């Protein structure tokens, strides 16, 4: 009996300790209340989809930025302020994410590529460079395979899709990545997951963790959870690894040497450099930049290197 009481007391202490750092998480009524660096614009697409985007700068080149899984427009807050001095920079919240509408959709990479194509058509942009992070990189490759004539350059930040998964691994992914799992991720889990994206998480990236925690209280959180779950299924069910040699677009590839997410450390133990070199060798007109002491979220961890290399490549 004493052991049971001790266990209950210990559990209570641990629970209180665990909750203490998170007591000041702001309340979020909806994703529209997220605090972005600049105001968003919206564009109405077919099937009643409304997409939020930011549009900054001007120049002879337009760069369209696509975020990764579970992310949003602020993922590019360290690149766009500098790049928009020279280029027109458009960042998009994919459907289901950020301030875009949360209606259910397939989550397929081709669905998101179609969304980008519809947006550029409505904005009257005929030719541009497409930049994507992680899942956004896989979407960008799918776009490049479908509409190569529209792209001047592809810029891939730690892109998903350079890694091969077996049928069994795909099934495992789909089984575990349910909307309920995303919905029930604890504060501690959110903190761990975000930190795993970095080699050394910068202080000014912590707002992403706070935002993700605050999203749990938002009225449209369920739509976000559904989108994340379907996006994981979309990535594994629409692989690009055997189509990389079909790309005919100048492509700049970035990877952090200390990426904890690519390859998947549990399913495909190995090195990031091996995955990166495979992609580089199979995209004929590509340049690979490996960034030392840098993780998966390289645009936030080493923005100076990324900006300089992007300018050199685009010019």
């Amino acid at each position: 009996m004493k052991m049971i009481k001790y266990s209950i007391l210990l559990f209570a202490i641990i629970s209180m300790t665990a909750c203490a750092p998170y007591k000041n998480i702001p309340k979020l009524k909806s994703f529209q209340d997220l605090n972005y660096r600049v105001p968003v614009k919206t564009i109405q697409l077919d099937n009643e989809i409304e997409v939020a985007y930011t549009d900054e700068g001007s120049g002879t080149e337009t760069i369209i930025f696509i975020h990764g899984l579970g992310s949003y427009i602020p993922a590019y807050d360290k690149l766009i302020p500098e790049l928009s001095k020279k280029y027109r920079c458009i960042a998009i919240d994919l459907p289901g994410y950020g301030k875009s509408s949360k209606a259910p959709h397939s989550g397929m990479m081709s669905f998101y590529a179609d969304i980008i194509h519809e947006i550029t058509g409505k904005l009257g942009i005929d030719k541009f460079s497409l930049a994507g992070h992680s899942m956004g990189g896989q979407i960008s490759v799918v776009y490049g395979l479908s509409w190569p004539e529209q792209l001047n350059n592809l810029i891939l930040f730690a892109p998903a899709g350079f890694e091969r998964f077996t049928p069994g691994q795909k099934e495992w992914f789909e089984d575990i990545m349910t909307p309920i799992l995303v919905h029930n991720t604890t504060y501690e889990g959110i903190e761990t997951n975000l930190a795993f994206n970095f080699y050394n998480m910068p202080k000014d990236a912590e707002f992403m963790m706070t935002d993700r925690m605050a999203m749990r209280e938002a009225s449209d959180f369920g739509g976000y959870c559904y989108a994340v779950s379907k996006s994981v299924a979309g990535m594994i069910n629409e692989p690009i690894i055997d189509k990389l040699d079909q790309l005919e677009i100048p492509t700049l590839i970035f990877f952090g040497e200390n990426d904890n997410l690519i390859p998947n450390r549990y399913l495909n133990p190995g090195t990031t450099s091996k995955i990166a070199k495979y992609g580089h060798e199979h995209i004929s007109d590509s340049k690979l930049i490996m960034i030392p002491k840098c993780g998966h979220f390289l645009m936030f961890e080493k923005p100076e290197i990324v900006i300089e290399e992007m300018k050199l490549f685009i010019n």
Side-chain angles (χ1 to χ4, degrees):
M1 181 60 72
K2 285 184 178 179
M3 286 299 295
I4 293 175
K5 289 181 177 178
Y6 175 76
S7 298
I8 293 173
L9 177 62
L10 182 61
F11 176 78
I13 293 172
I14 291 173
S15 299
M16 290 169 66
T17 304
C19 290
Y22 309 120
K23 63 182 180 182
N24 295 322
I25 301 301
K27 300 293 182 184
L28 203 68
K29 290 183 179 177
S30 85
F31 280 52
Q32 298 302 319
D33 297 332
L34 287 166
N35 184 28
Y36 282 15
R37 183 178 52 82
V38 295
V40 299
K41 301 178 180 180
T42 58
I43 188 166
Q44 193 69 41
L45 307 180
D46 294 340
N47 300 322
E48 299 182 350
I49 294 173
E50 186 176 82
V51 170
Y53 69 100
T54 56
D55 190 347
E56 298 175 75
S58 61
T60 56
E61 184 67 24
T62 296
I63 310 172
I64 296 181
F65 293 87
I66 310 300
H67 61 74
L69 180 72
S71 193
Y72 52 179
I73 288 172
Y76 291 106
D77 274 3
K78 281 189 164 179
L79 298 189
I80 291 179
E82 181 62 30
L83 291 171
S84 62
K85 296 175 182 175
K86 191 169 186 176
Y87 312 108
R88 183 183 182 189
C89 296
I90 296 173
I92 294 170
D93 272 339
L94 294 169
Y97 296 88
K99 297 179 186 253
S100 290
S101 58
K102 302 291 185 299
H105 57 69
S106 71
M108 298 297 287
M109 302 297 98
S110 52
F111 164 78
Y112 291 126
D114 288 345
I115 290 293
I116 297 167
H117 187 60
E118 189 175 350
I119 291 171
T120 55
K122 286 183 178 291
L123 294 178
I125 303 170
D126 298 325
K127 197 92 171 175
F128 56 94
S129 292
L130 186 58
H133 175 227
S134 196
M135 179 185 79
Q138 186 168 342
I139 294 169
S140 299
V141 171
V142 171
Y143 190 98
L145 292 168
S146 299
W147 294 282
E149 70 281 359
Q150 286 200 307
L151 295 185
N152 291 323
N153 304 286
L154 267 179
I155 301 162
L156 309 177
F157 309 116
F162 286 12
E163 184 179 1
R164 193 182 302 280
F165 293 103
T166 67
Q169 290 172 334
K170 292 179 180 179
E171 186 177 350
W172 177 81
F173 259 124
E174 285 197 89
D175 285 345
I176 66 162
M177 280 304 296
T178 64
I180 293 176
L181 178 76
V182 180
H183 187 278
N184 292 340
T185 305
T186 63
Y187 286 164
E188 292 85 354
I190 292 168
E191 189 173 23
T192 301
N193 290 344
L194 187 64
F196 213 57
N197 277 268
F198 297 91
Y199 172 73
N200 186 14
M201 185 173 167
K203 189 75 177 174
D204 57 9
E206 291 181 0
F207 76 90
M208 288 188 275
M209 182 170 60
T210 307
D211 281 354
R212 176 60 182 81
M213 292 175 179
M215 288 175 191
R216 288 165 44 114
E217 304 298 324
S219 59
D220 41 358
F221 184 54
Y224 167 85
C225 297
Y226 184 85
V228 171
S229 173
K230 298 300 286 185
S231 298
V232 171
M235 281 193 285
I236 59 176
N237 288 318
E238 205 164 17
I240 57 172
I241 189 167
D242 293 324
K243 299 178 180 178
L244 296 177
D245 56 4
Q246 298 173 27
L247 278 175
E248 298 177 344
I249 306 158
T251 303
L252 179 60
I253 308 165
F254 292 95
F255 270 99
E257 289 185 356
N258 309 96
D259 191 316
N260 290 316
L261 300 180
I262 297 176
N264 186 295
R265 295 294 186 265
Y266 301 104
L267 300 180
N268 295 323
T271 64
T272 301
S273 63
K274 183 179 179 181
I275 296 291
K277 288 175 183 174
Y278 179 91
H280 170 48
E281 290 169 359
H282 285 75
I283 301 175
S284 59
D285 189 4
S286 66
K287 179 181 180 181
L288 173 62
I289 306 292
M290 296 296 298
I291 305 178
K293 295 184 178 180
C294 182
H296 188 67
F297 224 114
L298 52 92
M299 316 91 69
F300 238 86
E301 200 162 8
K302 299 287 184 180
E304 301 85 1
I305 295 175
V306 174
I307 289 168
E308 186 63 27
E309 292 291 346
M310 284 182 68
K311 287 179 177 177
L312 289 171
F313 191 78
I314 291 174
N315 291 340

